[in-house]
Amino acid sequence: ETSVTLYGILDGGIGYQKIEGGDATAKRTGMINGIQSGNRWGVKGSEDLGNGLRAVFQLESGFDLGTGLSAQGTSGPNGEGRLFGRQATLGLAGDSWGQLDLGRQTNIASKYFGAIDPFGLGFNQANVGTTFSSVNTVRYDNMVMYQTPNFSGFQFGVGYSFNTGGGQGWDIDAPGVTNPDDSNNKAITTGLRYANGPIAVALTYDQAKREIDDVTVKQWNIGGAYDFEIVKAHAAFGQTRNGLFSSGISDELRINSFTGVQEGLKVNSYMVGLSAPIGNGKVLASWQMADPRSNPDSFAGDMEKTQIYSLGYTYGLSKRTNLYAIGSYAKNAYFADDAKSTLVGVGVRHQF
Amino acid sequence: ETSVTLYGILDGGIGYQKIEGGDATAKRTGMINGIQSGNRWGVKGSEDLGNGLRAVFQLESGFDLGTGLSAQGTSGPNGEGRLFGRQATLGLAGDSWGQLDLGRQTNIASKYFGAIDPFGLGFNQANVGTTFSSVNTVRYDNMVMYQTPNFSGFQFGVGYSFNTGGGQGWDIDAPGVTNPDDSNNKAITTGLRYANGPIAVALTYDQAKREIDDVTVKQWNIGGAYDFEIVKAHAAFGQTRNGLFSSGISDELRINSFTGVQEGLKVNSYMVGLSAPIGNGKVLASWQMADPRSNPDSFAGDMEKTQIYSLGYTYGLSKRTNLYAIGSYAKNAYFADDAKSTLVGVGVRHQF
Amino acid sequence: ETSVTLYGILDGGIGYQKIEGGDATAKRTGMINGIQSGNRWGVKGSEDLGNGLRAVFQLESGFDLGTGLSAQGTSGPNGEGRLFGRQATLGLAGDSWGQLDLGRQTNIASKYFGAIDPFGLGFNQANVGTTFSSVNTVRYDNMVMYQTPNFSGFQFGVGYSFNTGGGQGWDIDAPGVTNPDDSNNKAITTGLRYANGPIAVALTYDQAKREIDDVTVKQWNIGGAYDFEIVKAHAAFGQTRNGLFSSGISDELRINSFTGVQEGLKVNSYMVGLSAPIGNGKVLASWQMADPRSNPDSFAGDMEKTQIYSLGYTYGLSKRTNLYAIGSYAKNAYFADDAKSTLVGVGVRHQF
């Protein structure tokens, strides 16, 4: 009942990407990786402490299969790498009361929407997180997270991050110090999910304070899936205020001045999709939209409705290894008028 | 008799820290981690070569549980992370003659004072290393270390580092080169310990050349513990010359101009403490003091006696998992007049 | 038939190095590491998918035993470390058709010349790769590699890298963008080897486009070894055009203006060597030369013939652990007139 496991996922393939906007076009053909699932290795374990109590931990490190570089963001203030950038948690778990974790991990929305998205929160821009930013595999540092056990299919979770990115900052009070009182970006993440027979439902709420902008970004989402056996139907709706939880825009490809935080911004997000098993394979499809309902005064220019059409296929070679193909097309990507983003790729994924 | 082991320690909790000095106050409340023991994962192994000879190795990587960032310092000259920042050694060991290691590891003082400190060289500023700098988990790169086997409770060790931090530097002799002949910071670490029944004693000596300052920092320490069964008593005395082996002061919180190296500085260090088992738990307590006996001419301002009062409690949930609580208060921290440093925290530690 | 293995090599010792050129001398004595084999740890696995098909992966991370720093180069654009800098591949393998890998790994020449070099492509400048640059453990990112099974001793392999260093770059077409159309450095690596009884032969060809210089570096090599039982004889010849695949010169020690890429450069490379088992030990010896047959107009100054004389000895303590000694002397190192490079060292290597 006590175990330590070394595990991982590897995912690589060949693909083509194109981004167009205004007079500019960026494209690349070559190796793609981490498309279905981010590349990772990790160590996790559980120790039985008696009386239904367990110590549990998980250390998970992301990397780029094409280059071997660490993933999950920039280095720390002294150039330290983000070794366990995907997860670094230690917790106590009880059969009757649930699990309490300390450390870095994904928010509740990114945990509970995995079953709602036909693409399982993977496949790059096909991920429902592209338009529902709080489910876009958002990770918080310094988080205390509590999740109940599964009660007749229901599970509730709530997390509080003392600082979402980087070590706990000092609140310095001294003559001449003009810093904000506290530079720690605090966040709350919470949600409820229900899974029973053919039904899966998830309801989540997130809010994150961005101290530097003095803005609190908020988002709630509701989603569900129903398995009709021949096909499974998926749908979700969400609403965002004051910015996104993950902008997803690299500086290199920035098309408009949207930076992810924009006071007064209100975005409605929609997704409908389906997934259908065919032999050893599975067809995946979705349409998603992020509709900016108000154009904040603080934003120069118009924000347009982003729409994304995605079609995927996975084929199982074994329980742990599968092939995949993906095609996805976005228009008005990043809310930019007439910006288009296309991804086509094939790959293989292996879990160990 | 041949083995490879994947192991680690995870340690996280919630805490409050406050540092005051002059007109300034810095405080933070939030996730703490690595308080009792630094977070780490590692791989170690041993191969039986016959005739009582073994090949032994240990690779140990430190990290921050709150963020997943690598620990143990800044990156290398090309941005390489310190992957195995805690230890990277390969050695040969013989039943009769001891062990010879090559690589990066802690100095002898930090190995032999573990049993002398009631806090086991952990618990942040409660660590006896805060006032006895050479036992403050000092690590050296490029070290050759020899330790005898245990002879009736006695063990002796000595290490020599060709360069304490970073790759071996070149000694360049060329027209116009004004560099020092050799930029490698060399160090010697040595000690003797005795452990038998209720008695533990350690005697250590360290010296480290700081080429850039052209100063040799020196420290010797003596310490002991005696187990009276109801309580265990702990005491230590040490003397330091020309600076500290680890300043422990982050630039952010620097209160006076003390940088750790100060030619002419002489510091006497004292610790008395006790530890007492109570059921599954253990109470830990110590008072420590670093007393600057001379105020070097090179130092602008006065250096005051640092005193630290610490009280801790650990409670075992199993052999590998425990809870802890810690309270520690320092006055004249970092030798700065009237600077105070307070730490209060609770946490959980798990070893795998 | 399904496995995951944690493995590694540790290699450390004591050595002396000296480099002389013109009026300058650089020397160092101290810990050496990774001399016989680069220090590494890794995880590799294989899953049987049925019908002779397997999923295979290998993640291999290099480090410096003296410091614990990651090896294999600089960090990525956001400071990410090169975690799996030695290898990061996922592939499918079939008993009948061979293996197809995706990711970062060494080129074919560095795989197939291991049996040709008496020093097994290790031992620092004794490595035949010092004068045959395409076999100098060249690693490419974003590579698709195919290798046949062993057919009666023959094996053929070919790899194509979409970008040899770093993530896939975008080809950006926009008003005012003066970048090259495509900044990706593409490379082809291919080779054939034969090993049967006493005979080993390898033939390789590499070409790599350096977009920033707009030059294509090319090299072909042929080599062989024949085991006369008392001694094994080794020989190789190669030819390089327009530059080297790995310059091996650190900026710190640059003696002339040669940077590794030089349009019009033509270099012939030669090696003869021998290896001879003596009891549990093995003597290794080689002479190698890189002869610049043309002095490119683009290069200021003369390029001289580099010659390297190397003598080594390994002594097995077990199948997995050995001691070694190495002495190697190069004249006209880096093609620089009268530059000399000397290495003397002893060490221990352990595989787990």
Side-chain angles (χ1 to χ4, degrees), chain B residues 63-141:
Chain B
F63 62 92
D64 182 292
L65 186 70
T67 61
L69 288 166
S70 280
Q72 279 75 52
T74 60
S75 56
N78 299 312
E80 319 88 304
R82 184 84 82 167
L83 179 63
F84 295 115
R86 297 182 60 93
Q87 185 159 351
T89 53
L90 171 63
L92 292 173
D95 294 341
S96 58
W97 57 266
Q99 183 166 334
L100 184 70
D101 280 322
L102 283 166
R104 173 178 172 85
Q105 62 174 306
T106 57
N107 67 342
I108 291 284
S110 300
K111 293 181 201 301
Y112 290 6
F113 263 68
I116 307 306
D117 183 15
F119 291 91
L121 300 185
F123 289 101
N124 198 278
Q125 72 179 33
N127 184 336
V128 71
T130 310
T131 52
F132 291 68
S133 70
S134 72
V135 307
N136 200 14
T137 318
V138 173
R139 293 186 177 91
Y140 291 145
D141 287 343

Side-chain angles (χ1 to χ4, degrees), chain B residues 2 47 49 57 59 78-84 88 90 102-104 141-142 162 166 168-175, chain C residues 10 12 23-28 30-31 41 61 65-70 74-75 252-253 318 320-321 348 350 352:
Chain B
T2 288
E47 183 197 11
L49 300 170
F57 72 90
L59 300 173
N78 299 312
E80 319 88 304
R82 184 84 82 167
L83 179 63
F84 295 115
L90 171 63
L102 283 166
R104 173 178 172 85
D141 287 343
N142 307 301
F162 290 98
Q168 295 285 167
W170 293 94
D171 174 359
I172 295 175
D173 183 5
Chain C
L10 292 98
D23 298 335
T25 304
K27 54 191 174 183
R28 57 182 178 185
M31 184 171 165
W41 71 280
S61 173
L65 186 71
T67 61
L69 289 165
S70 280
T74 61
S75 57
E252 189 184 7
L253 299 174
S318 76
R320 290 164 39 203
T321 304
V348 57
H350 174 69
F352 70 91

